[in-house]
Amino acid sequence: MKEFKIAVLPGDGIGPEISVQGVGVMSAVCEKFGHKVSYEYAICGADAIDKVGDPFPEATFEACRKADAVLFSAVGDPKFDNDPTAKVRPEQGLLAMRKKLGLFANIRPVQTFKCLLHKSPLRADIVEGADFLCIRELTGGMYFGEKYQDNDKAYDTNLYTRPEIERILKVGFEYAMKRNKHLTVVDKANVLASSRLWRQIAQEMAPAYPEVATDYMYVDNAAMRMIQEPRFFDVMVTENTFGDILTDEGSCISGSMGLLPSASTGESTPVFEPIHGSWPQAKGLNIANPLAQILSVAMLFEYFDAKEEGALIRRAVDASLDANARTGDIQVEGEKACSTSEVGAWIVEYIRKA
Ligand code: IPM
Ligand code: MG
C-alpha cells in the first residue's frame, strides 16, 4: 500500500475539464490497488491572476511543496496573449513553478499509437514505431537568463553553468541506459558558446557510460531528422529553448497534441502534465482530449515505481482507442466523437473491471 498526497492545479481553458478526468483515473487506480490518495486543489495561471494577482501564488507553491506529486493541467488565456504590455502573464506561473520546485529535467516521451498513424501529418511508414524521449533542461538558458528590453534594443541571455549541464546530461545518460542505450545530445555548437560547453561536458561524461552510443547533432539538423527518420532517436537531451521547439514538433509525430504527457523532475516535488496548452477556444465545451492528462497519471505512478498501476492505465488508454471511445481530434471519420468526460468515464470503467 502506498499513500499519495497530490496537489491538483487545473489552471485555465480546458485545464479544469481534463483535470477532472486525470483525478478520476488516479482515484480508480488507487482504489484498485489499495493505495490511499488525497488531493489538495490550488490555483495558478490566468485564474490565479484574476483571483489574487499572481499566476503562482505562495499558497499554491506551499501546496506543491508539501505534496508527493503535482498533477498540472494547463495555463494560458488569450486576453494576455495580445497584450505585450501586460505586467503579469499566466505563463510566468508555469515558469515560477518550474524554478521554485527546481524542476530541471523535463521528460517528454514521443510515441505513436498504431490505430492513429493516419492522423500524423507524416507518412505512416515514416512514423510507425517511432518511440523516443526528449529530455529538456527546464530551469536554465534563455528562459531565465538576464533579459533587457527598451524600444530600440532587447536581449535574452543563454546562460548555462557546468553543474546545470552535468545534472541534466546525467539524466540523459541514465535514461539511455534504461532504454536502447542511444543518446543524442542536441546543440548548436557550431555557433553558440553555451552549446560548446554542453558538448565539451557531454564528451567528458560519455566514457563513464561505455554502453551508451552517444552522438551529437546540431538542432537544425535534429529538427529535420525528427520528421525524416524519427525512429533514429532513442533519448535526446537538449537545452530549454531547443527542447521547447523540438517537443512541439515531436507531438505531430503522434498525430495529436492531446496524446502526449510529460514529467518534470528535479529537486522538489515532481510535476506531471500534458505537453499541450489550455486551448481556450474549447473551454467548457467538453470536447478536449483527456488522454495526455490521463497518461500523465501513468507517468506519475511509474515515477513512484508503481509499474503495474502505470501499465494498467496504458492498457486502458489503448483499449479506449480500439473501442473508438475517442474525442473528435482523433476519431475515425464518420464515427461519433465522445466527449472529454465520456472518454474519462470509459477509462475509469475499464480500470474498475480489470
Ligand atoms: C511548454 C510551453 C511553455 C514553455 C510556455 C507555456 C511557457 O510551451 O511547456 O512547452 O515555453 O516552456
Ligand atoms: Mg512549448
Side-chain angles (χ1 to χ4, degrees):
M1 205 266 295
K2 292 182 192 272
E3 206 176 325
F4 297 100
K5 276 197 295 187
I6 308 294
V8 183
L9 275 56
D12 307 321
I14 58 166
E17 298 157 51
I18 58 168
S19 176
V20 172
Q21 307 313 322
V23 169
V25 168
M26 178 88 208
S27 296
V29 171
C30 285
E31 196 172 309
K32 177 110 208 157
F33 287 83
H35 302 316
K36 274 200 184 141
V37 60
S38 59
Y39 304 102
E40 183 173 349
Y41 285 80
I43 55 172
C44 64
D47 178 37
I49 297 178
D50 290 342
K51 288 179 176 144
V52 300
D54 178 351
F56 190 64
E58 202 52 35
T60 299
F61 175 44
E62 211 32 49
C64 293
R65 232 183 29 82
K66 285 190 325 215
D68 298 313
V70 177
L71 192 60
F72 184 94
S73 298
V75 291
D77 189 300
K79 74 180 176 208
F80 296 93
D81 292 342
N82 302 322
D83 178 8
T85 63
K87 290 237 153 30
V88 278
R89 323 180 68 79
E91 289 78 8
Q92 284 167 348
L94 186 57
L95 300 184
M97 178 177 77
R98 290 172 180 171
K99 197 68 176 178
K100 286 184 155 182
L101 294 173
L103 301 170
F104 63 84
N106 182 219
I107 318 295
R108 296 187 166 183
V110 175
Q111 270 164 346
T112 54
F113 295 83
K114 221 175 160 95
C115 64
L116 296 177
L117 290 177
H118 65 286
K119 284 280 170 188
S120 174
L122 299 174
R123 281 203 326 262
D125 63 301
I126 291 179
V127 290
E128 183 165 15
D131 176 358
F132 62 91
L133 277 189
C134 180
I135 299 180
R136 169 187 175 195
E137 200 289 328
L138 204 58
T139 52
M142 268 197 284
Y143 275 62
F144 296 96
E146 190 195 318
K147 292 173 190 297
Y148 177 81
Q149 182 178 3
D150 65 28
N151 268 334
D152 305 305
K153 186 171 86 176
Y155 60 77
D156 302 278
T157 316
N158 201 27
L159 175 73
Y160 271 109
T161 63
R162 175 173 280 271
E164 285 176 318
I165 299 170
E166 279 174 355
R167 66 183 180 180
I168 190 72
L169 288 174
K170 184 162 177 273
V171 174
F173 281 113
E174 283 170 359
Y175 268 101
M177 285 298 290
K178 284 192 269 179
R179 291 179 47 109
N180 295 325
K181 302 191 168 57
H182 175 199
L183 180 69
T184 305
V185 180
V186 175
D187 62 29
K188 188 72 188 169
N190 50 346
V191 177
L192 303 177
S194 50
S195 280
R196 283 194 285 275
L197 184 61
W198 271 73
R199 196 174 276 217
Q200 179 194 325
I201 293 174
Q203 284 167 348
E204 287 167 17
M205 290 171 74
Y209 302 89
E211 290 167 57
V212 176
T214 307
D215 44 42
Y216 302 88
M217 202 181 278
Y218 298 142
V219 61
D220 46 351
N221 187 21
M224 182 175 73
R225 199 74 184 262
M226 260 173 66
I227 53 172
Q228 265 183 344
E229 197 193 352
R231 285 187 295 263
F232 170 83
F233 296 102
D234 176 25
V235 178
M236 64 162 75
V237 60
T238 191
E239 65 157 81
N240 204 346
T241 307
F242 299 161
D244 177 48
I245 298 165
L246 290 179
T247 52
D248 261 35
E249 187 186 346
S251 73
C252 291
I253 293 172
S254 309
S256 169
M257 267 204 137
L259 294 170
L260 295 186
S262 78
S264 302
T265 65
E267 294 157 4
S268 177
T269 317
V271 174
F272 301 87
E273 58 170 313
I275 82 147
H276 61 70
S278 61
W279 197 16
Q281 301 80 356
K283 179 181 175 165
L285 300 181
N286 201 19
I287 58 170
N289 191 339
L291 293 185
Q293 178 85 80
I294 289 170
L295 288 167
S296 302
V297 178
M299 288 188 88
L300 187 159
F301 281 113
E302 286 155 1
Y303 176 88
F304 290 103
D305 236 16
K307 300 227 165 58
E308 275 183 55
E309 290 82 337
L312 175 57
I313 296 175
R314 292 180 191 281
R315 275 205 306 283
V317 166
D318 285 343
S320 74
L321 293 172
D322 289 340
N324 279 344
R326 309 179 189 184
T327 45
D329 55 318
I330 53 172
Q331 187 49 289
V332 181
E333 213 156 310
E335 299 267 343
K336 183 187 152 289
C338 290
S339 66
T340 310
S341 49
E342 282 168 344
V343 173
W346 198 102
I347 288 170
V348 164
E349 189 60 20
Y350 181 97
I351 290 168
R352 290 219 176 101
K353 287 194 188 140

